[in-house]
Structure formats: C-alpha cells, structure tokens
C-alpha cells in the first residue's frame, strides 16, 4: 500500500470449524493474542507456570519414557510380551488388565465367563502377579498399571512381588491409575458408590507417601474422557476438575498439600488435529500450575508441575485401511512430544481389529524411537513457543477449561456435577455432534467416509491379528481352584475380615489389603469384602 503498511490477504476472514469447537483462522497475527505477555504466560522451561515444560532441559536431559500398553490372556503370555518389549528398547511397562480384574471379579465368577484374558491379562492372586513379573526386577523398571476400582489391590500385589524380589520399596517407580471419577463419567469400570470409592483413592495417597515415595499414587485421566467423545477443551476441563476433587479430598482427609501433590500425575489423549493437541497439553500444564498455587496454596514447585503420560487416540484408529493408522499414530506421537509429555504409548495399527500382534507393537515402538532419534525435535525445549497459532489455541483452551471449572464449582464441585449427570451429558452431546459431522461428511475420516477403496487389491488383504487362546480361560480357572485348595484358608479369612472391619472404620485400608494379598486372598474376595462394607454403585440414566 502507498503508506507502507501491509494488507493482510482476504483469506484471513475465513474460519474453519474444528472438531473441538474452536474456530481456526487462516492467518493468525499478534493482534489475536490480546496483550499476551510471554513473561507471565510462557516463562522458562522448568519454571512456573510450566507452559514450556516441567523440566529445564526437557528431552535434552532425558527422553520421555517409552511405554507399550500390553497384557492379554494369562500372566505367562503377558510376561513373554513384556520381556520382548524390554529387549526391544521399551523403558517402562504398561499393564492392561482384563475386564473381570478391573471390576473385582475372579476368573471363575459366572459373569467373567468369556471375558477372561480378552482385553488384558487375568490377575486373580499373588501367584498370577509373581508370574506376570517373573524375571523382571521391579526395582529397576518403571511400571504403569491401568486399574481403578481395584487399584488398591493390584498395587498391593505389585508391592508384594517387589518384596519377594528383595526390592527396596523406596525405589519402586511407576503409576497406578487410581482415577475413579472418570469411571463414573466415561468408562464404567466402577464397583462402589462414589464417596467410598474416593476414600480408597485417598488411602492410597497416604500410604504411598509413607511407603512408596517415588510412586505416582494416581494418574488423573483425560484419555478416557476424550475417547468417550469429549472435545479437547472438555478433556482439559473435566480432567483438571477431577484433579481438584482429588486434591480437596486428600486435604479433607488430613494430608498436607505439598506432602502428596508431587506424586500426582496425569494421562491425556493425543488425538487428531496436530496443533490443537500441542496447545492442549501446554494449556493443561499452565492451568494446573495456577490452580495449585492460587486455589490450594501449594508452595513446593513440584506440587504445581503437571507431569503427564500420553497415549495416541484409540478412537481415531480405523478398521478400514488399517495401514493408515501408522500415519495417524505418528502424527499423534509427535504432537505429544512437542507438547512435552513425560511418557508415551503409541497405539498399534491393528488395534481397531484386535489386541496388537508382536510385529504391530514393535512398529508402534519404532515410531517413538524414530521421533526420538531421527526427527531432531528433541534438540530444543518447546520448539513451538511463540507461534501465534499455538499461543492463541493455548489461551483459548485454557479459557474454555476455566469456564467449565467455574460452572462445576458453582454446582458444588465435581462429585456433585457427576452425581447430577452434568459432565456425562456434556460429553455425550459433544460425541453426538462429532458423529453427525462424520456421518454428513463434514468431518473427513480417510478411508471411512472419504477416499474409500472400492476394489480390494492384493495389497489390501486382511492384516494378521492376535488371537487369544480360548483354552487360557479354563487354565486360569484351574490355577485359581488349585490356589484355593493349598492356601491357609484360616489365614486368608482372617485377613479378609480385617479388610471389612477397616472399611467400616476410618483406618487406612492399604496395610490390610497388602496383608490379604500376601495371604493369597484373591482380587474378587477382597473386592467382595469391600462390597459388603460399602455396597455397589447403581448408575442413573443420563439423557
């Protein structure tokens, strides 16, 4: 122009809607940041508000922990997979449990029939846990366990095995998911009413603080919220609102904020929309730091750090043209790394069809290793900082999450919001709107509603999938029956009675649960003792 100013192209006015509900401008300028101050909004890596990462050097100092979520069939089969993954360069194990184990039923329970070992490994007793980690020194490996309602029992089993190995419990490292609120919201593997379930969570907090100082006592999970159909804003909002509820419950139980908060960790979904995912992780980190400082008055910087594990989006995988999933997972992994994750699991290309084969799991692992070793993105901390688009999205996600949290606070907190069905309804509405966009073609899913292959070629023959041996269920039940026949029955019954007694008091449950598993009480028997004391949750229908 004659006055020397630059005219923005007309395309700036065009905005494209995103699945998360935030419009994306074609051109983002500094004006879109509305007085954004890099000193207060960004700071430096390893310093409040941790937007740029929780550690000063991030991956230049230490790479994220590469994990592969694995577990199927029997403990023997899963142990073989774990040994294989460790030999291929996995840094930490991530254990998947079967559905009966997750909901506190032994493998011989009538409702467990047909489900034993199907979506994870079947664990009934200490004998199974010993087999699962046979030959794996627990003092020197980090283990994440995706378990919630029965988290206290599985953690006790893990500790019992470590003790048998002669491990120093002060050095045990890992995470137990232990996020019960998201089960009522999005996933459904709950057992007890909400408030007794929260008591178990805080008992684990208190016990881990004393016995397992390097163990993460909870992994507050947005992953399953996103998998249930939430937007990215909702994933951040509801996950942090759950975190707020856990922190408040721990304080109400008499724990000091800086005694337990450094052991909190988070679990997020790395989904599609590459830039949105990077911004989501940064927004969550900044909002949590401010929440811990301003709401809960934490003084230890470690209490303000949002450390998180990421997993690529299972719901983004397609059974159609499954090889495309390799590309999706690669982009989702890269987003998690650029967003500053502390550990990462890459889904395998065949997981829309079955549990991953060994080869598919290896390809997923190699995806992480290529990003770490060949991409160069690990050479500088937070390379996306200062991008107008990234910073704008980070601000918008943070602002949207704050609005949701304020609404939940006005309802009386997350427990009240869950009991009222508010959170469930918001997620269901978002999931419905997204599916409508897919069905109409507005949201493109390659190979599903666009770019389908009409004629199958030799290159598109069905890929190999893992088949769980159906004989494994009968073998698992036989081992369980043998255990009950040779254990000290009187000792087991006494240990179970002590759990029930403690559940009816305010005493911490963990010492009694550890004693019970060491007495070879089963997961189902311990869960039943707690059922007798607490009752069971009855879900209400949310429309």
């Amino acid at each position: 122009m004659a006055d020397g100013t630059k005219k923005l192209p007309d395309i700036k006015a065009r905005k494209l809607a995103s699945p998360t509900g935030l419009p994306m401008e074609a051109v983002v300028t500094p004006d879109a940041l509305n007085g954004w101050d890099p000193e207060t909004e960004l700071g430096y890596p390893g310093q409040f508000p941790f937007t740029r990462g929780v550690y000063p050097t991030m991956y230049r100092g230490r790479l994220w922990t590469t994990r592969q979520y694995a577990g199927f069939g029997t403990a023997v089969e899963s142990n073989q997979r774990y040994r294989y993954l460790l030999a291929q360069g996995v840094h930490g194990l991530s254990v998947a449990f079967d559905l009966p184990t997750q909901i506190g039923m032994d493998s011989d329970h009538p409702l467990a029939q047909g489900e034993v070992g199907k979506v994870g490994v079947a664990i009934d007793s200490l004998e199974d846990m010993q087999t699962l980690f046979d030959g794996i020194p627990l003092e020197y490996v980090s283990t994440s366990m995706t378990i919630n309602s029965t988290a206290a029992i599985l953690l006790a089993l893990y500790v019992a095995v470590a003790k048998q190995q002669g491990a120093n419990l002060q050095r045990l490292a890992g995470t137990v998911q232990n996020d019960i609120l998201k089960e009522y919201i999005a996933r459904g593997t709950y057992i007890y009413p909400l408030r007794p379930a929260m008591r178990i969570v805080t008992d684990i907090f208190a016990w881990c603080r004393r016995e397992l100082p390097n163990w993460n006592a909870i992994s507050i999970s947005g992953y399953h919220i996103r998998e249930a159909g939430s937007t990215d804003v909702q994933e951040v909002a509801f996950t942090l609102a759950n975190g707020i509820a856990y922190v408040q419950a721990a304080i109400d139980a008499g724990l000091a904020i800086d005694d337990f908060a450094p052991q909190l960790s988070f679990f997020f979904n790395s989904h599609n929309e590459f830039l949105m995912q990077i911004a989501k992780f940064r927004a969550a980190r900044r909002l949590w730091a401010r929440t811990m400082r301003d709401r809960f008055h934490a003084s230890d910087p470690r209490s303000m750090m949002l450390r998180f594990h990421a997993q690529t989006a299972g719901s983004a995988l397609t059974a159609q043209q499954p090889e495309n999933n390799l590309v999706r997972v690669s982009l989702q992994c890269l987003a998690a790394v650029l967003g500053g994750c502390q550990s990462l699991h890459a889904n395998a290309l065949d997981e829309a069809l079955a549990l991953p084969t060994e080869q598919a799991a290896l390809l997923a692992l190699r995806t992480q290793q290529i990003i770490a070793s060949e991409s160069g993105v690990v050479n500088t901390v937070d390379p996306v900082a200062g991008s107008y688009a990234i910073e704008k999205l980070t601000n918008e996600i943070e602002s949207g999450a704050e609005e949701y949290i304020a609404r939940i606070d006005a309802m009386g907190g997350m427990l009240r919001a869950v009991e009222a069905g508010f959170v469930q309804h918001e997620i269901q509405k978002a999931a419905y709107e997204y599916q409508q966009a897919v069905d109409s073609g507005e949201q493109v899913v390659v190979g599903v509603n666009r770019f389908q292959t009409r004629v199958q070629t030799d290159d598109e023959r069905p890929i190999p999938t893992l088949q769980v041996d159906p004989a494994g269920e009968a073998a698992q039940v036989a081992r369980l029956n043998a255990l009950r026949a040779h254990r000290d029955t009187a000792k087991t019954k006494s240990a179970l009675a002590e759990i029930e007694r403690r559940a009816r008091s305010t005493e911490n449950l963990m010492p009694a649960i550890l004693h019970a598993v060491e007495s070879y009480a089963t997961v189902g028997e311990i869960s039943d003792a707690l059922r007798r004391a607490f009752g069971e949750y009855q879900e209400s229908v949310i429309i």
Side-chain angles (χ1 to χ4, degrees):
M1 296 180 67
D3 61 2
T5 59
K6 293 183 179 180
K7 181 180 178 181
L8 290 172
D10 293 338
I11 196 173
K12 179 178 185 297
R14 292 175 54 209
K15 295 183 179 182
L16 296 176
S18 76
T20 208
L22 299 177
M24 296 287 289
E25 287 88 350
V27 177
V28 183
T29 68
D31 294 339
L33 298 181
N34 296 322
W36 177 78
D37 178 12
E39 282 293 319
T40 58
E41 303 301 317
L42 279 181
Y44 292 91
Q47 296 181 19
F48 186 90
F50 304 105
T51 313
R52 303 199 64 185
V54 292
Y55 303 123
T57 58
M58 287 300 289
Y59 306 136
R60 287 177 66 98
R62 178 185 175 186
L63 290 173
W64 64 92
T65 300
T66 53
R67 297 188 187 277
Q68 284 307 117
Y69 186 49
F72 61 93
T74 65
V76 171
E77 295 169 293
S78 294
N79 175 262
Q80 292 170 350
R81 177 63 66 88
Y82 296 156
R83 290 184 183 220
Y84 171 77
L85 290 171
L86 288 167
Q88 297 301 321
V90 159
H91 299 141
L93 300 176
S94 186
V95 183
F97 298 99
D98 73 355
L99 190 57
T101 304
Q102 292 181 49
I103 58 176
M105 292 179 180
D106 288 330
S107 295
D108 61 350
H109 193 287
L111 293 179
Q113 186 174 358
E115 291 292 341
V116 176
K118 288 295 178 66
V119 299
V121 61
I123 298 294
D124 291 314
S125 72
L126 182 55
E127 285 188 352
D128 291 331
M129 207 68 159
Q130 290 165 332
T131 302
L132 186 66
F133 292 107
D134 181 46
I136 299 173
L138 299 187
E139 188 173 329
Y140 303 103
V141 67
S142 170
T143 303
S144 173
M145 294 189 286
T146 302
I147 197 74
N148 297 284
S149 291
T150 54
I153 307 169
L154 273 298
L155 177 58
L157 286 166
Y158 189 85
V159 169
V161 172
K163 288 172 65 177
Q164 290 179 343
Q165 291 183 356
N168 180 354
L169 300 188
Q170 300 290 302
R171 296 181 60 179
L172 283 189
T175 304
V176 64
Q177 193 162 95
N178 193 30
D179 176 3
I180 199 61
L181 285 175
K182 67 96 172 50
E183 298 298 328
Y184 302 98
I185 293 169
R187 192 162 175 268
T189 62
Y190 43 70
I191 302 175
Y192 317 110
L194 199 149
R195 292 172 194 275
M198 286 289 285
R199 177 259 181 99
I200 297 173
V201 171
T202 56
D203 278 2
I204 293 173
F205 285 2
W207 189 74
C208 284
R209 180 172 62 87
R210 294 191 304 270
E211 305 295 333
L212 307 176
N214 285 318
W215 192 268
N216 296 315
I218 193 170
S219 176
I220 304 164
S221 177
Y223 183 86
H224 304 95
I225 291 170
R226 185 68 179 89
E227 288 291 280
S230 78
T231 67
D232 293 303
V233 170
Q234 289 172 342
E235 181 186 353
V236 172
F238 299 152
T239 305
L240 298 197
N242 282 346
I244 289 167
Y246 291 127
V247 170
Q248 189 59 58
I251 291 170
D252 292 345
L255 301 181
I257 183 71
D258 289 321
D259 283 346
F260 70 88
Q263 289 180 282
L264 303 178
S265 65
F266 289 79
F267 176 22
F268 286 111
N269 193 309
S270 194
H271 213 280
N272 296 328
E273 283 201 290
F274 185 72
L275 301 181
M276 195 74 69
Q277 302 313 295
I278 299 169
K280 176 179 74 179
F281 302 134
R282 300 167 86 251
R285 199 158 43 231
R286 188 165 71 202
L287 181 53
W288 184 249
R290 289 171 171 166
T291 298
M292 294 301 283
R293 183 192 68 179
D294 300 339
R295 181 189 285 239
F296 293 111
H297 311 295
S299 57
D300 187 338
R302 297 176 303 156
S303 299
M304 306 173 204
M305 294 180 182
L306 185 148
R307 296 168 298 111
F308 75 97
H309 170 70
Q311 180 176 337
T312 59
S315 60
L317 302 176
T318 64
Q320 300 92 330
Q321 302 178 23
E323 292 86 353
N324 294 345
N325 294 330
L326 282 170
V327 182
R328 293 184 177 102
V329 168
S330 298
L331 289 169
Q332 292 164 3
C333 282
L334 183 57
V337 170
L338 292 175
C341 68
Q342 278 58 68
S343 69
L344 176 60
H345 164 81
N347 288 330
L349 68 93
D350 55 358
E351 288 191 59
L353 301 168
L355 293 170
T357 63
E358 196 169 87
Q359 180 61 28
L362 180 60
L363 276 172
L365 173 62
R366 294 290 184 253
T367 300
Q368 293 200 52
Q369 291 167 335
I370 289 169
I371 291 172
S373 302
E374 298 183 20
S375 71
V377 298
V378 302
N379 295 335
T380 186
V381 178
D382 191 22
V384 299
S387 157
Y388 301 142
I390 289 288
E391 301 301 351
K392 180 175 183 291
L393 285 172
T394 301
N395 290 347
E396 290 176 341
I397 292 172
E398 182 181 20
S399 176
E402 286 179 316
E403 290 178 12
Y404 262 119
I405 291 171
R407 291 174 69 183
I408 290 167
D409 285 342
M411 295 178 192
M414 196 58 166
L415 271 67
R416 293 284 178 84
V418 172
E419 289 170 339
F422 167 74
V423 180
Q424 300 93 310
H425 180 266
E426 290 294 297
I427 295 171
Q428 290 167 8
K429 179 183 176 184
Y432 176 71
E433 291 173 351
Y434 176 77
Q435 190 58 49
Q436 281 190 312
V438 172
D439 292 344
S440 70
E442 178 185 355
Q443 176 62 47
V444 175
V445 182
V446 173
V448 176
N449 65 0
R450 186 92 57 94
F451 311 114
Q452 300 99 321
T453 301
R454 289 177 172 79
V455 179
Q456 182 171 302
T457 67
D458 289 342
D459 294 333
E460 295 169 323
R461 286 174 294 188
I463 62 173
T465 55
L466 178 71
Q467 302 296 320
V468 176
D469 185 356
E473 180 169 339
Q476 180 69 19
V477 171
R479 282 190 294 272
L480 179 58
N481 290 333
L483 169 77
R484 292 195 178 117
H486 68 66
R487 69 186 179 183
D488 184 335
T489 303
K491 183 178 179 182
T492 304
K493 287 185 176 179
S494 174
L496 291 169
E498 174 62 9
I499 289 174
E500 187 173 349
R501 186 196 68 77
R502 285 194 178 220
R504 298 181 189 281
S505 73
T506 58
E507 295 176 63
N508 193 297
L509 289 165
M510 285 304 301
I513 292 174
L514 178 59
H515 177 64
V517 301
E518 291 178 325
S519 303
Y520 291 93
T522 67
V523 171
E525 290 166 345
I526 296 170
S527 299
D528 285 343
L530 294 172
R531 284 184 177 98
R532 288 191 291 272
F534 295 149
E536 293 187 78
Y537 178 72
Q538 300 298 318
E539 183 178 15
S540 56
V541 177
I542 305 299
I543 300 175

